Amino acid sequence: MATSRRRRSRIAIAAAAVAAVVLTTGLTTGCDAVNKALDCVQTAEAIADSVTELQQAVEGAANDPTQLEESLNSIDKNLDKIGDKTDDADVNKAVDDLQQAVTNVRDAVKNGDETPDISPVTDAAGELTKVCTS
């Protein structure tokens, strides 16, 4: 529980920082750049929420194994959204890295791993958030 609270705290801090960056960007660039940045941030935030759900799903996999698949699907859906909306090379690399991490978790689950290592997913999601806010 404490880990979940700390993660949500970090997500909230990151979201506040992103909002500040977006507002500052809006004052210095055109609307298209602001809209793309905002889309990236919103999707990265949704992915962060999905990663939190994935962590909870791994912890509760014995009770409801379908939650794990639903969390992975949610991340995939959000990755598709962000990948379609950006032409930024750094964002695209972060999306690709996160997609690979999700694929690795999905493969581990298919191969019978009931508690797969999701730290690469968490790390890649953090990198995506970082890229979206820089």
Side-chain angles (χ1 to χ4, degrees), residues 31 51 62 87:
C31 290
V51 170
D87 56 357

Side-chain angles (χ1 to χ4, degrees), residues 75-94:
I75 294 170
D76 280 336
K77 180 180 169 187
N78 286 312
L79 286 173
D80 288 343
K81 284 182 190 177
I82 199 169
D84 292 342
K85 292 183 179 181
T86 187
D87 56 357
D88 182 279
D90 292 333
V91 172
N92 284 328
K93 181 178 180 339

